[in-house]
Amino acid sequence: MHKRGQALGVLFLLFFSLFSQEQKEPTKSYTTAKAGSELVIDGKLDDAAWDQVEWAGDFTGHMPEYKAKPTQETQFKILYDDKYLYIGIRAFDSEPEKIVKRMSRRDGFDGDWVEVNIDSYHDKRTAFSFTASVSGVKGDEYISNNGNDWDSTWDPIWYLRTSVNEKGWIAEYKIPLSQLRFANKENHTWGIQVQRRIFRIEERSTWQPINPTDPGWVHLFGELTGIKGIKPQKQLEIQPYVVASAQTFPKEEENPFRADGNDFEGNIGLDAKIGITSDITLDLTVNPDFGQVEADPSAVNLSAFRLFFREQRPFFLEGNNVLTFPTGGGRNNLFYSRRIGGRPQGSLGDDVEYSDKPNQTRILGAAKITGKNAKGFSWGLLESVTNKEKADVVYENGTRGKETVAPFTNFLVARAQQDINEGKTVVGAMITNMNRINNRGNDLELLHDNAQSGGIDVNHNFKDRKYGMTFKYMFSRVAGTEGAVYETQTASERYFQRTNNNHKNVDSTLTSLVGSAATLSFGRRSGNWRWSIGTNYRSPEFELNDSGFLVQTDNISTWGWTQYRVTKPTRLFRSQRYNFFYERNLDFGGVNTGTGGDGNINLELQNYWGLGTGMYIGGTQVSNADLRGGPSITYPGEVNWWYWVGTNNQKKIRVSFSNWYNWGNEDYSKGSGINFNFTIRPTDALRISLSPNVSWRRNDLQYIDQVDFNGETQYLLGRVEQTTYRMSMRANYNITPNLTLEFWGQPFMATGEYSEFKKVHLANSENYDDRFRIFDPNEVIFNTEDEEYEIFESNGAVADYTFSDPDFNNVQFRSNFVVRWEYIPGSTLFAVWSSNGSFSDQLEDNSFRNLRSQLGNLETTNTFLIKYTYRFIL
């Protein structure tokens, strides 16, 4: 009876949440007019044309408390003409001396600011955002998915001036209509929202009231009316660039490619943005250069899986929220733009003594078309071609030559979506295609000749968008030589060759492989209580890593998540979030590979400090990958606990701290880590941040190697104690809003010491101690001359087998110093100094002191670069 009562209670709560109604705010409207005289953008709003329209005001509190009366008044006016949209905003402040005028580079969103969101399509799903900080720094974002995605890489050309007076401050905008997208018709109604942030008290207010607990953002905008007779502007911008670079590196006298220790290069290229129609924009890049982009952070990877590094190249960042199709399960995606122009994958023969191999594959060109029409149909298409790369080599016999290490490769990605019923339902599809041309020789035949993937998705909202359902189905196909498809079957994503894999086997005769994946979820998307339940699968044959990103296949997952949020301030807290999550994973053979759940709390105090804590409890886990093609192995459960605290972000000095702990059952693992972040604002123009991090892990079942002994494969494990030190350092100085000095640096040190060597015995035994056998001390001898361990299982005079010393000591320092000057809107001059030094060895003394001395003595490669771009607007 008690269980029946619980079930009825849960059903009642679900029924109540499905059919309870929330009051919707009336839609506000602002009527604009065509400017009758010239406007000068000077941040004063004293031109006569501004008198043609009325001030709009009556802003409503958004954060920290919805509908609370804002502490300061805000007003705005809007005008237009045949070429531009003009917006004037008065941000009144009774204490103008307390206005925070912090500066940053574009899209920094620091200090006091005002923001205008314009839904010129009036599709209630997408919008263009223009942010003005009181210091004159611009921010701009393309809003999609009804406010769930904000793309700050969108950098339109527009004009801004601000000023501060005794009544507060003023922002005056001039936005070319060519930067917006709208229908070709006589009368227009656009969605509009104006928002203000008062930094010192972290208050936000909006013109159109929107409850923070409401689902979405764009569909709740107010309306802008009165625009008549404007015509869509055809955009044509051409931006050529010139690059000169010099590189210095340690000399290697016997290596003809590095004997002099320096190198010089020059390059030219072209970017263009073309408005084909009012609905379609074409972005082009020819021979692009990304020398101003930061290097990837350092990492040590002891797992069987690929590491993910974020995209940082501007051409691929802008609009990347259009060409995306997450598959579920972490960062898995049909498209991962870093596949374009990646490191050449060809190998060189043993007869090559010296080589000069390109670090990246050169992108010959790329084109990206995006658009959306008045009927709610949007699309994006990316086409890119990368070069056939060759390495200059010197063979052992002294002759020189060239070896192909990457073939010509073509990438095609296409995405389309259709809005239905004002975006309440969105149906979409995506497809990718990769073709390598003549990929033979130097192991290139082990890469796929071609690969395709695709998917369809449906996102349906109902009950005034309070609830939603998402469905996705995806497929993949790869084709190539028998060797290439064999490599795919035996790769870390799937390991078909596992000895206890009872549902999938390796077929060495295959020349193609087809897989699929799907996900289904349903949940409540608004209100203080939100929840989601769902399931997904990725078939063993699913493969994306030619054009996309995929960590692991052969997985069926179910999950449930709920969150309770308190957005109304209380006596102690400004906001509160309580989250709970549970998941269960199976492979396609029905094996339970892992079950676990976590709960976490995140709070903001009334003094603007933040704090939180959480715990994850995981049950027994089974890994199909950790023995690198060997049998699956069972791990005991684990517990993770973490907490964090951060001081007031409004202060000139801000400190945050986090600490985590991990405990494995049976004491098979243990770990902890400490993270600090120090942010210092000596002036409004200078920002310095230091983020030191120290972590320590012990894992008694770390994979080392596999060897053959007596006709059987032995899988070797060991206890590894890994310590990692890293620190990210940043300094940004704004000489003006358009001239910045930016520094990033990361010292990195990692050590790993192995001991207590063992071999796998009964990998999935219920008894933990039966899963391995620890070698006796007299069975393991370290050969100092060959730097390898010798194993004497049979107690003979000769070692039965050996494995290399797995200890590691890695030291690395990477840095970038960039001077960035946007001397006119859209045209930029870069001066860059990049430095990269690394050291790796098996030292007897791997203490922090020893590694620190290695860091100070690193031999580095330094690159000095000047890049000049000029944007022609035709």
Side-chain angles (χ1 to χ4, degrees):
M1 189 70 183
H2 176 65
K3 291 182 178 179
R4 183 183 300 175
Q6 283 184 327
L8 289 174
V10 171
L11 289 173
F12 173 77
L13 287 173
L14 289 173
F15 180 85
F16 178 79
S17 66
L18 280 169
F19 293 100
S20 60
Q21 297 295 321
E22 297 179 15
Q23 185 177 357
K24 185 177 180 181
E25 292 294 331
T27 301
K28 287 187 174 182
S29 180
Y30 180 84
T31 302
T32 183
K34 190 171 186 178
S37 58
E38 183 180 358
L39 288 95
V40 178
I41 306 303
D42 54 11
K44 297 180 180 179
L45 300 182
D46 55 1
D47 297 304
W50 286 113
D51 295 332
Q52 295 177 231
V53 290
E54 299 295 326
W55 288 104
D58 190 24
F59 277 53
T60 299
H62 185 70
M63 290 176 59
E65 184 175 357
Y66 175 58
K67 278 205 159 181
K69 182 177 175 60
T71 58
Q72 307 291 342
E73 185 182 355
T74 309
Q75 296 179 340
F76 69 89
K77 288 184 175 184
I78 300 176
L79 291 169
Y80 73 95
D81 60 22
D82 292 336
K83 295 290 185 180
Y84 299 97
L85 187 73
Y86 304 91
I87 303 170
I89 302 177
R90 288 190 181 274
F92 293 96
D93 201 312
S94 58
E95 298 178 288
E97 70 280 1
K98 293 185 178 181
I99 295 172
V100 180
K101 309 179 186 68
R102 290 185 179 179
M103 299 178 72
S104 66
R105 63 167 295 178
R106 190 170 187 153
D107 300 326
F109 307 107
D110 210 349
D112 283 47
W113 50 252
V114 291
E115 181 177 278
V116 181
N117 301 158
I118 303 169
D119 177 12
S120 52
Y121 285 120
H122 207 219
D123 59 10
K124 301 191 176 184
R125 287 195 70 241
T126 59
F128 304 95
S129 178
F130 301 87
T131 305
S133 78
V134 65
S135 60
V137 176
K138 298 176 184 174
D140 27 54
E141 297 166 290
Y142 176 69
I143 307 170
S144 61
N145 196 18
N146 196 16
N148 289 323
D149 295 315
W150 295 65
D151 180 9
S152 61
T153 63
W154 177 64
D155 287 330
I157 293 176
W158 57 290
Y159 307 89
L160 170 70
R161 289 291 183 272
T162 61
S163 65
V164 180
N165 56 40
E166 69 281 0
K167 295 183 179 180
W169 65 283
I170 294 172
E172 190 170 17
Y173 292 64
K174 179 182 177 181
I175 302 172
L177 295 178
S178 62
Q179 306 300 302
L180 305 176
R181 299 291 175 265
F182 50 89
N184 186 7
K185 59 183 180 181
E186 180 64 22
N187 297 303
H188 294 264
T189 297
W190 293 352
I192 190 80
Q193 176 66 295
V194 182
Q195 183 177 189
R196 179 183 180 183
R197 179 196 193 188
I198 301 177
F199 184 80
R200 64 182 182 270
I201 56 175
E202 198 51 81
E203 176 187 279
R204 300 197 188 191
S205 56
T206 60
W207 173 64
Q208 172 65 48
I210 299 179
N211 192 328
T213 65
D214 284 344
W217 177 254
V218 180
H219 79 282
L220 298 170
F221 284 1
E223 292 184 343
L224 174 64
T225 63
I227 299 178
K228 301 178 181 179
I230 62 171
K231 298 296 181 183
Q233 308 292 307
K234 288 189 177 182
Q235 185 180 11
L236 178 56
E237 301 169 11
I238 299 176
Q239 187 181 54
Y241 78 82
V242 179
V243 172
S245 65
Q247 188 176 80
T248 64
F249 43 80
K251 293 183 179 180
E252 299 176 23
E253 292 185 2
E254 296 182 358
N255 186 341
F257 303 113
R258 301 179 67 87
D260 56 3
N262 58 68
D263 192 19
F264 301 91
E265 291 184 355
N267 204 1
I268 60 173
L270 177 73
D271 296 330
K273 186 181 290 287
I274 303 169
I276 299 174
T277 70
S278 62
D279 299 322
I280 304 173
T281 300
L282 170 64
D283 290 278
L284 291 172
T285 185
V286 179
N287 193 31
D289 178 271
F290 305 110
Q292 75 275 19
V293 171
E294 285 182 5
D296 292 322
S298 304
V300 172
N301 184 15
L302 297 183
S303 76
F305 304 116
R306 301 170 185 261
L307 293 179
F308 179 91
F309 294 103
R310 64 187 179 93
E311 178 63 86
Q312 301 186 82
R313 299 170 295 178
F315 178 84
F316 296 103
L317 276 174
E318 184 173 349
N320 64 356
N321 58 339
V322 176
L323 296 171
T324 187
F325 202 106
T327 68
R331 297 186 180 275
N332 299 330
N333 204 303
L334 293 190
F335 179 53
Y336 179 45
S337 57
R338 290 193 59 152
R339 298 290 179 226
I340 303 174
R343 186 179 295 274
Q345 299 180 67
S347 61
L348 298 175
D350 294 336
D351 60 339
V352 173
E353 187 168 5
Y354 300 106
S355 65
D356 184 14
K357 187 176 179 180
N359 291 323
Q360 285 87 33
T361 304
R362 185 158 59 96
I363 301 173
L364 298 177
K368 180 168 51 181
I369 300 176
T370 56
K372 184 164 188 173
N373 62 27
K375 296 182 179 180
F377 181 68
S378 60
W379 64 93
L381 186 146
L382 173 67
E383 170 80 11
S384 182
V385 178
T386 59
N387 193 37
K388 179 179 181 179
E389 295 292 349
K390 294 188 176 184
D392 294 315
V393 301
V394 175
Y395 299 103
E396 290 179 340
N397 61 13
T399 61
R400 287 179 176 254
K402 291 182 179 292
E403 295 284 344
T404 301
V405 290
F408 282 113
T409 307
N410 175 259
F411 295 87
L412 174 67
V413 184
R415 178 79 158 116
Q417 290 181 299
Q418 176 64 58
D419 299 351
I420 302 171
N421 193 17
E422 295 184 333
K424 292 180 181 178
T425 302
V426 181
V427 179
M430 183 166 177
I431 191 167
T432 73
N433 184 60
M434 184 282 308
N435 278 292
R436 295 187 176 97
I437 302 171
N438 296 326
N439 55 313
R440 297 293 184 269
N442 293 329
D443 291 334
L444 293 176
E445 65 276 4
L446 299 182
L447 304 177
H448 300 132
D449 294 342
N450 58 81
Q452 298 81 34
S453 67
I456 58 172
D457 60 334
V458 179
N459 184 32
H460 177 63
N461 296 277
F462 51 97
K463 297 296 294 180
D464 291 330
R465 304 177 192 258
K466 294 181 180 67
Y467 298 88
M469 180 275 295
T470 299
F471 170 74
K472 294 181 180 181
Y473 174 79
M474 296 140 283
F475 77 91
S476 69
R477 179 186 180 275
V478 296
T481 64
E482 291 180 354
V485 177
Y486 177 84
E487 289 289 321
T488 303
Q489 295 176 79
T490 57
S492 63
E493 291 84 0
R494 48 196 61 80
Y495 285 135
F496 285 178
Q497 73 272 33
R498 296 193 317 270
T499 54
N500 59 349
N501 186 350
N502 299 319
H503 58 279
K504 201 66 189 176
N505 298 315
V506 175
D507 185 344
S508 60
T509 66
L510 291 179
T511 56
S512 65
L513 197 67
V514 178
S516 65
T519 182
L520 175 66
S521 65
F522 169 76
R524 179 182 171 94
R525 298 176 174 179
S526 70
N528 291 325
W529 177 39
R530 304 182 183 203
W531 50 266
S532 176
I533 55 175
T535 183
N536 67 41
Y537 81 84
R538 296 183 299 278
S539 76
E541 304 87 352
F542 197 52
E543 168 58 17
L544 299 178
N545 284 314
D546 291 286
S547 297
F549 188 85
L550 177 67
V551 175
Q552 191 176 21
T553 65
D554 196 3
N555 178 258
I556 303 171
S557 175
T558 56
W559 76 89
W561 165 84
T562 186
Q563 179 190 79
Y564 186 77
R565 56 175 64 182
V566 180
T567 57
K568 186 175 181 179
T570 65
R571 187 171 65 88
L572 295 177
F573 305 113
R574 284 168 58 89
S575 66
Q576 306 168 58
R577 300 286 190 276
Y578 304 90
N579 295 282
F580 299 93
F581 177 79
Y582 173 84
E583 68 173 344
R584 184 170 186 261
N585 295 282
L586 307 172
D587 67 17
F588 271 60
V591 175
N592 184 348
T593 56
T595 301
D598 74 68
N600 60 80
I601 301 171
N602 295 282
L603 308 169
E604 184 182 10
L605 305 179
Q606 285 293 355
N607 63 356
Y608 305 103
W609 282 44
L611 57 91
T613 185
M615 178 176 289
Y616 170 85
I617 300 176
T620 299
Q621 299 179 11
V622 176
S623 171
N624 290 332
D626 282 359
L627 295 185
R628 277 53 165 188
S632 61
I633 183 170
T634 299
Y635 295 109
E638 63 177 351
V639 175
N640 296 311
W641 174 61
W642 64 92
Y643 66 93
W644 66 273
V645 62
T647 63
N648 186 349
N649 190 45
Q650 283 75 43
K651 301 296 184 180
K652 289 185 177 294
I653 298 177
R654 183 179 187 272
V655 180
S656 64
F657 168 81
S658 65
N659 189 200
W660 61 266
Y661 294 91
N662 167 267
W663 301 273
N665 295 348
E666 304 285 353
D667 195 35
Y668 93 94
S669 68
K670 192 174 184 179
S672 64
I674 299 175
N675 305 281
F676 281 95
N677 178 263
F678 303 93
T679 302
I680 306 170
R681 276 280 190 177
T683 69
D684 286 335
L686 177 61
R687 183 179 187 271
I688 301 170
S689 68
L690 301 174
S691 301
N693 170 291
V694 180
S695 64
W696 173 84
R697 294 177 184 269
R698 171 180 58 79
N699 181 2
D700 290 355
L701 300 179
Q702 177 60 50
Y703 174 86
I704 296 176
D705 202 356
Q706 51 187 274
V707 297
D708 289 328
F709 177 56
N710 287 339
E712 295 183 357
T713 302
Q714 307 289 337
Y715 298 94
L716 306 180
L717 310 175
R719 168 183 289 177
V720 61
E721 295 189 43
Q722 178 182 350
T723 306
T724 303
Y725 312 89
R726 62 159 62 89
M727 180 165 66
S728 179
M729 305 177 293
R730 290 187 183 274
N732 295 279
Y733 181 67
N734 280 67
I735 300 173
T736 71
N738 300 316
L739 176 58
T740 60
L741 309 179
E742 304 163 18
F743 171 79
W744 170 79
Q746 187 196 64
F748 175 87
M749 297 173 284
T751 73
E753 289 186 271
Y754 284 78
S755 62
E756 196 182 87
F757 299 108
K758 53 184 72 75
K759 71 174 185 178
V760 174
H761 180 46
L762 301 173
N764 297 290
S765 172
E766 290 188 7
N767 184 359
Y768 171 72
D769 292 330
D770 289 338
R771 297 172 195 168
F772 52 84
R773 184 181 79 80
I774 300 175
F775 293 124
D776 292 333
N778 61 355
E779 292 181 300
V780 182
I781 297 178
F782 181 63
N783 185 328
T784 56
E785 182 178 348
D786 296 331
E787 293 188 346
E788 64 182 15
Y789 284 92
E790 299 176 339
I791 305 298
F792 295 82
E793 277 198 66
S794 58
N795 296 318
V798 179
D800 296 314
Y801 50 87
T802 64
F803 61 90
S804 299
D805 182 4
D807 288 354
F808 61 86
N809 297 274
N810 295 334
V811 180
Q812 192 168 59
F813 181 77
R814 293 177 174 178
S815 67
N816 285 73
F817 178 73
V818 180
V819 180
R820 183 183 186 275
W821 179 29
E822 190 176 3
Y823 54 94
I824 58 175
S827 301
T828 308
L829 176 67
F830 296 95
V832 182
W833 171 30
S834 298
S835 181
N836 186 357
S838 61
F839 169 84
S840 180
D841 202 352
Q842 283 124 345
L843 300 173
E844 293 182 7
D845 179 8
N846 59 1
S847 65
F848 176 75
R849 178 180 298 176
N850 184 279
L851 291 178
R852 187 178 61 187
S853 66
Q854 294 292 336
L855 182 65
N857 297 321
L858 283 179
E859 293 184 329
T860 61
T861 296
N862 294 280
T863 302
F864 304 90
L865 175 149
I866 298 287
K867 181 177 180 179
Y868 173 82
T869 72
Y870 186 87
R871 182 174 292 189
F872 295 91
I873 303 176
L874 306 176

